[in-house]
Amino acid sequence: MAAKPGIPKGTRDFSPVEMAKRNYIFNTIRDVYHLYGFQQIETPSMEMLSTLMGKYGEEGDKLLFKIQNSGDYFSGITDEELLSRNAAKLASKFCEKGLRYDLTVPFARYVVMHRDEITFPFKRYQIQPVWRADRPQKGRYREFYQCDADVVGSDSLLNEVELMQIVDTVFTRFGIRVCIKINNRKILTGIAEIIGEADKIVDITVAIDKLDKIGLDNVNKELAEKGISEEAIAKLQPIILLSGTNAEKLATLKTVLSDSETGLKGVEESEFILDTLQTMGLKNEIELDLTLARGLNYYTGAIFEVKALDVQIGSITGGGRYDNLTGVFGMAGVSGVGISFGADRIFDVLNQLELYPKEAVNGTQLLFINFGEKEAAFSMGILSKARAAGIRAEIFPDAAKMKKQMSYANVKNIPFVAIVGENEMNEGKAMLKNMESGEQQLVTAEELIGALTK
């Protein structure tokens, strides 16, 4: 007996109903991106490892899926190297390519390669899967979709403002209540400076970014393990636990960071974004959160994260400003800022809160029952007119028992069934049945179309 097939951990199959839900998510996000002037691109699933490595920090590099070279990948490797069992070193010899970890680094590579074809500022969006060799758990997958929007070639903070408006609009359309969290890497750099640990900025941000997940005590333990002094950790506590309104937090930070030019610049940028958004009438809460660090090394300015208020799940959107990213590909001086919607987590949130509109998940609207060749031929004429009018319609392909065909309609949640027998054909009509109410009426093709399109 053949072994039962399976799929890799951290991946999922999606049924037709689930795909309808996913497409509702993608289409909603795509429509909002278009409202703000973004254009779509796509990049390959594979990138050269030289493109990906070193862009996500040490922890991110460990999560890259590497693709084994085809052909004789042992050529050029000595017996000594093989016997050393040094996985990292051998992987660098065996693998030249990897699956993309996110869409931002491939986008930066795209900008550098196509710089002569691009008009700046360039506003692009991308909806594609990414892969991470992470430990699978609830809300965290190894293969998942991201829905990114980025602007490159502009330093203006109006880009950050518009991206937050996009976030607010998308989640308002979904009906998901969220808190939009904002911080600035310059503020975090300033904090590292004033506690005397400027050279440990990466260690500090990686640690405090885990505050929600592992708690304050474990964050402090990790900071100590990274060699940050007890005095510096003590100074950090009141800053990362700062409370109050956004205005109160900003006022406190102006005092606390008065000796840090970089920190004050971050406060100024945050103040502009928050003050401008206050005049825009956002539907969702926006909060300055100093524990938000976004551990990725390439962020240099504003950083964002979105949390659902009614479901326990991780971040469902994130992003930030990354002024230096294209520089690593030989194109300095191009500023960028972007956001990424986590489509798979949004899918789970919409499921838990049952927020999918009925029309988003309904497939076929009308099924024609098949009684035989003559009846099917007559039905096909009406079916063609219904489809031409935009009605999603099908005919059962076989002249099976009525019970089986009606069961098919029920399983697929088809709201209307058209019954065409000898009597209906003689009158040039069809019997239209509402599957929810059970009501039936004899209708012409035009009346049938009218009933389903009103």
Side-chain angles (χ1 to χ4, degrees), residues 213-225:
K213 298 169 194 159
I214 65 176
L216 185 60
D217 289 344
N218 285 320
V219 167
N220 290 336
K221 183 181 175 185
E222 184 171 323
L223 289 168
E225 288 169 355

Side-chain angles (χ1 to χ4, degrees), residues 21 51 90 108 142 163 190 201 206 227 235 237 256 307 314 333 349 356 396 413 432 437:
K21 291 178 176 180
T51 297
L90 287 171
R142 285 176 169 166
L163 288 171
I201 176 62
V206 167
K235 284 182 181 177
Q237 304 309 292
V256 171
K307 300 279 183 149
V349 170
Y356 287 101
F396 200 85
N413 289 314
L432 183 65
S437 67

Side-chain angles (χ1 to χ4, degrees), residues 157-165 272-273 276-277 280:
L157 292 172
L158 287 178
N159 295 312
E160 277 86 336
V161 170
E162 287 209 329
L163 288 171
M164 293 304 92
Q165 287 181 281
F272 175 85
I273 295 166
T276 307
L277 286 169
M280 299 293 170

Side-chain angles (χ1 to χ4, degrees), residues 42-55:
E42 287 196 351
T43 59
S45 301
M46 295 181 289
E47 293 280 350
M48 302 304 294
L49 275 178
S50 56
T51 297
L52 302 173
M53 294 291 286
K55 312 305 188 302

Side-chain angles (χ1 to χ4, degrees), residues 63-79:
L63 301 180
L64 287 170
F65 273 112
K66 300 171 180 66
I67 299 172
Q68 187 174 284
N69 295 339
S70 55
D72 183 10
Y73 49 83
F74 283 110
S75 64
I77 298 176
T78 66
D79 289 347

Side-chain angles (χ1 to χ4, degrees), residues 367 369 396 401-413 435:
L367 172 72
I369 299 296
F396 200 85
K401 290 182 178 179
M402 179 83 158
K403 184 179 179 182
K404 181 178 180 179
Q405 297 189 51
M406 296 299 277
S407 176
Y408 176 85
N410 282 323
V411 169
K412 289 190 71 176
N413 289 314
M435 294 292 283

Side-chain angles (χ1 to χ4, degrees), residues 207-267:
I208 68 174
D209 196 39
K210 299 174 182 174
L211 187 69
D212 279 355
K213 298 169 194 159
I214 65 176
L216 185 60
D217 289 344
N218 285 320
V219 167
N220 290 336
K221 183 181 175 185
E222 184 171 323
L223 289 168
E225 288 169 355
K226 294 292 185 180
I228 294 161
S229 69
E230 283 186 31
E231 184 186 358
I233 293 171
K235 284 182 181 177
L236 194 58
Q237 304 309 292
I239 299 170
I240 63 174
L241 297 175
L242 192 63
S243 60
T245 65
N246 292 334
E248 288 168 345
K249 289 176 186 175
L250 289 167
T252 302
L253 286 171
K254 285 177 186 176
T255 304
V256 171
L257 299 176
S258 58
D259 293 333
S260 170
E261 185 181 343
T262 301
L264 288 176
K265 180 64 176 171
V267 174

Side-chain angles (χ1 to χ4, degrees), residues 25-204:
I25 293 170
F26 297 145
N27 293 338
T28 300
I29 293 170
R30 186 181 288 111
D31 288 347
V32 176
Y33 282 162
H34 287 161
L35 283 178
Y36 285 80
F38 287 79
Q39 296 176 297
Q40 187 172 18
I41 68 162
E42 287 196 351
T43 59
S45 301
M46 295 181 289
E47 293 280 350
M48 302 304 294
L49 275 178
S50 56
T51 297
L52 302 173
M53 294 291 286
K55 312 305 188 302
Y56 307 106
E58 190 178 337
E59 292 193 9
D61 281 353
K62 291 175 185 173
L63 301 180
L64 287 170
F65 273 112
K66 300 171 180 66
I67 299 172
Q68 187 174 284
N69 295 339
S70 55
D72 183 10
Y73 49 83
F74 283 110
S75 64
I77 298 176
T78 66
D79 289 347
E80 187 182 351
E81 285 173 324
L82 279 172
L83 291 170
S84 73
R85 301 176 70 88
N86 185 325
K89 192 172 182 181
L90 287 171
S92 69
K93 297 281 184 85
F94 285 164
C95 310
E96 294 175 351
K97 299 174 285 293
L99 295 176
R100 58 171 173 250
Y101 177 94
D102 72 354
L103 299 178
T104 307
V105 170
F107 172 54
R109 188 266 312 150
Y110 175 95
V111 170
V112 173
M113 286 186 66
H114 298 272
R115 67 181 89 180
D116 295 332
E117 308 155 29
I118 291 172
T119 301
F120 293 99
F122 181 40
K123 300 171 78 171
R124 88 80 170 86
Y125 77 88
Q126 206 168 335
I127 299 176
Q128 287 186 274
V130 299
W131 294 267
R132 296 183 185 178
D134 217 339
R135 185 170 65 85
Q137 53 187 285
K138 184 180 180 183
R140 179 169 292 178
Y141 305 98
R142 285 176 169 166
E143 178 187 59
F144 55 96
Y145 266 77
Q146 288 185 334
C147 308
D148 284 19
D150 290 78
V151 185
V152 292
S154 170
D155 296 320
S156 172
L157 292 172
L158 287 178
N159 295 312
E160 277 86 336
V161 170
E162 287 209 329
L163 288 171
M164 293 304 92
Q165 287 181 281
I166 286 172
V167 168
D168 184 64
T169 303
V170 165
F171 286 111
T172 299
R173 290 191 178 191
F174 285 144
I176 299 172
R177 294 191 318 120
V178 298
C179 177
I180 304 167
K181 294 178 179 286
I182 180 173
N183 198 7
N184 195 297
R185 287 300 286 257
K186 294 185 180 78
I187 291 176
L188 294 168
T189 300
I191 290 169
E193 287 175 6
I194 64 154
I195 66 171
E197 298 282 2
D199 60 328
K200 296 284 181 68
I201 176 62
V202 173
D203 290 333
I204 291 169

